[in-house]
Amino acid sequence: MLGKNGKIIAMDSDVSKLDKLKQKAKENDLKKRIQIIQSNNELVIPLDDESIDITLLYNVACCIHGKDNQEDLIELIRDIQRITKESSRLIINVKGKHIEKRMDNAIPEIQTYFKLEKKEIKKYFLENERVRYRFFYYLVKKE
Ligand SMILES: C[S@@+](CC[C@H](N)C(=O)[O-])C[C@H]1O[C@@H](n2cnc3c(N)ncnc32)[C@H](O)[C@@H]1O
């Protein structure tokens, strides 16, 4: 995905998650291509307008979206739209059917900023062979 000159900017507020990422990046010889930002749980991303080709919100919407209302998630999506280049993509991945339901409820408002192109459901197995599902929402920036 990164091609020759691509770069990843990874953001989290949890230092232990970022340390794990640093270790994985080192093991895979990707250290120079990953810029790490430790945030303080704000919903404003410290990056320039229209500077990002693709945003992966993987397994994060559940935390942002853990409350009864979806205001925080929508605030974050609005800021992701600001940093995203024209016609570029946001991919949201969530785990579990209860989070899928919350995401589906939020999609009409998310579509103010990004148009939903496709939703994909992927099955995976836990070590005890129990089935779990991941849900992928592929969105493209609206002007
Ligand atoms: C379930 S974990 C997933 C971590 C990682 N994306 C993965 O898939 O392994 C959710 C992460 O979202 C981070 N997070 C939640 N709200 C955040 C915010 N407002 N700013 C930065 N990170 C946040 C948490 O610190 C946590 O590490």
Side-chain angles (χ1 to χ4, degrees), residues 59-62 65 92-104 119-124 126 131-137:
N59 204 9
V60 174
C62 54
H65 205 185
I92 304 176
N93 161 20
V94 297
K95 276 199 268 191
K97 291 197 170 177
H98 59 299
I99 310 286
E100 178 206 17
K101 200 166 173 216
R102 283 201 224 137
M103 271 302 300
D104 286 351
K119 178 182 168 185
E120 234 174 47
I121 302 173
K122 290 188 182 170
K123 203 176 180 180
Y124 66 101
L126 299 177
V131 178
R132 288 287 182 274
Y133 295 92
R134 282 181 190 276
F135 303 89
F136 291 83
Y137 297 81

Side-chain angles (χ1 to χ4, degrees), residues 1 9 11 45 47 51-58 60 76-77 79-85 88-93 114 137-139 141:
M1 278 180 87
I9 303 173
M11 200 171 120
I45 304 166
L47 295 173
S51 58
I52 299 297
D53 290 307
I54 182 163
T55 301
L56 307 178
L57 200 62
Y58 272 28
V60 174
L76 178 65
I77 300 283
D79 209 45
I80 293 175
Q81 192 214 33
R82 176 188 65 76
I83 63 164
T84 302
K85 289 181 187 171
S88 290
R89 281 179 172 71
L90 160 65
I91 306 174
I92 304 176
N93 161 20
F114 287 87
Y137 297 81
Y138 297 87
L139 301 127
K141 181 177 170 172

